[in-house]
Amino acid sequence: MIISIVNQKGGTAKTTTAINISSGLVKQDKKVLLLGMDLQGDISYALNITNQEKSISEVLMGEVLIQDIILQREGIDVIPTNISLADVELSIGKVENNSYLLKTYLSVINKNYDYVIIDCSPSLSLLTLNALCASDQIIIPLQLTVMGVNGLELMLSTVEKVKKILNPSLKIMGILPVIVDKRKNLSKEIMNYLIEMFSIRIFKNSIRANVKAAEAPSFGISVLEYAPNSTSAIDYKNLVKEIINS
Ligand SMILES: Nc1ncnc2c1ncn2[C@@H]1O[C@H](COP(=O)(O)OP(=O)(O)OP(=O)(O)O)[C@@H](O)[C@H]1O
Ligand SMILES: [Mg+2]
């Protein structure tokens, strides 16, 4: 199953979620590929992968084979990103069927994995479109603030368009509340609003705000490794069980 972690809004814990879901799935004995499709190379930074390594950029440009650039971190197979993805976007702009490039490359290795997790850029760019076309499901991490929810409609209408035109089998697995401050009434109000407005599943296991989640990337490891007993590690482990059972 290929799952994209997507939200065009910046800083909604997409990268944190992609890494920690992957780590949690591996701990449940699943075979996992984590693929970075974000322009800043955050997966690489957060998993201590140097920028010299070949990345998905060179695969999309047809310069290397996808199976030749897979690295291992914490039992996860990782395909890193680097900043040259921005150039890729320009150079594949005129290629025919350019929304399906990633799908085509992933089809070579997809069968080796129980889950492929794709970390997306905070934009609805051609690269994100490639991720949506390659995916079976998406997870939308969302902050339960007024600012966080603004833009959700645009995200959902983009997904509807992709379903209609490019990838009819794409499904929204759910909205994942992240960096949640459970003491705040506003979070509860917004959660109720989401449930009323959109008939989309909201994961039962939301991810609480916790400093350990923010600290882990500077140590180059997941929060499940860095602070296994922290609330964010526990939340991600519970979320992984919910994903496996869904
Ligand atoms: N549960 C959490 N508690 C506290 N801070 C968190 C939590 N999850 C993520 N963060 C912090 O929030 C910030 C944004 O997270 P992250 O980089 O994962 O978001 P993103 O959606 O990938 O961002 P971008 O859109 O720039 O790619 C980071 O500084 C991260 O460490
Ligand atoms: Mg990111």
Side-chain angles (χ1 to χ4, degrees):
M1 181 188 292
I2 304 182
I3 306 173
S4 276
I5 314 298
V6 61
N7 189 335
Q8 86 276 12
K9 205 174 263 296
T12 62
K14 292 179 286 296
T15 303
T16 307
T17 299
I19 290 173
N20 289 293
I21 286 180
S22 299
S23 174
L25 285 167
V26 164
K27 289 186 194 321
Q28 295 289 325
D29 294 325
K30 302 295 179 191
K31 190 93 179 83
V32 182
L33 177 72
L34 171 61
L35 168 65
M37 282 291 276
D38 78 299
L39 298 175
Q40 301 122 303
D42 285 343
I43 289 276
S44 299
Y45 170 73
L47 291 176
N48 198 18
I49 296 167
T50 65
N51 231 352
Q52 279 79 47
E53 307 285 357
K54 290 267 184 278
S55 79
I56 190 68
S57 308
E58 286 76 16
V59 175
L60 291 168
M61 309 263 261
E63 292 169 6
V64 292
L65 297 176
I66 194 164
Q67 57 270 37
D68 290 346
I69 62 157
I70 298 170
L71 306 168
Q72 273 77 36
R73 288 289 185 281
E74 301 181 23
I76 311 164
D77 278 10
V78 184
I79 296 183
T81 32
N82 60 32
I83 46 169
S84 57
L85 255 184
D87 301 335
V88 174
E89 185 126 41
L90 285 175
S91 65
I92 64 172
K94 293 207 168 67
V95 174
E96 211 174 315
N97 289 327
N98 57 13
S99 305
Y100 296 106
L101 288 176
L102 183 64
K103 184 185 173 77
T104 309
Y105 289 117
L106 271 181
S107 67
V108 178
I109 52 171
N110 184 17
K111 61 182 180 306
N112 302 336
Y113 297 99
D114 298 310
Y115 292 91
V116 177
I117 306 293
I118 307 178
D119 178 31
C120 291
S121 263
S123 72
L124 297 171
S125 62
L126 181 55
L127 293 172
T128 303
L129 212 52
N130 265 268
L132 294 178
C133 286
S135 295
D136 303 301
Q137 304 261 2
I138 64 171
I139 292 175
I140 306 174
L142 190 78
Q143 270 185 277
L144 299 181
T145 59
V146 176
M147 293 288 275
V149 173
N150 277 344
L152 180 62
E153 267 172 75
L154 173 65
M155 180 74 240
L156 296 176
S157 77
T158 305
V159 173
E160 281 312 310
K161 272 184 216 147
V162 171
K163 273 168 81 166
K164 257 193 207 129
I165 303 167
L166 296 166
N167 180 8
S169 57
L170 183 66
K171 291 194 177 64
I172 300 177
M173 187 182 270
I175 290 175
L176 174 66
V178 289
I179 322 182
V180 175
D181 185 343
K182 290 218 157 135
R183 292 162 305 182
K184 280 199 183 144
N185 279 336
L186 187 60
S187 304
K188 285 182 207 138
E189 269 171 34
I190 290 177
M191 181 86 101
N192 290 338
Y193 165 80
L194 288 177
I195 293 169
E196 267 173 36
M197 281 296 288
F198 306 103
S199 50
I200 296 175
R201 168 191 185 184
I202 299 173
F203 285 101
K204 286 196 187 73
N205 291 287
S206 53
I207 312 296
R208 285 167 285 181
N210 178 248
V211 68
K212 299 288 179 200
E215 284 171 6
S218 51
F219 293 89
I221 51 179
S222 69
V223 74
L224 271 66
E225 287 292 324
Y226 171 66
N229 299 319
S230 63
T231 55
S232 36
I234 292 165
D235 292 344
Y236 276 114
K237 281 186 234 170
N238 288 332
L239 172 67
V240 161
K241 288 186 196 142
E242 196 178 345
I243 290 172
I244 291 173
N245 293 328
S246 63

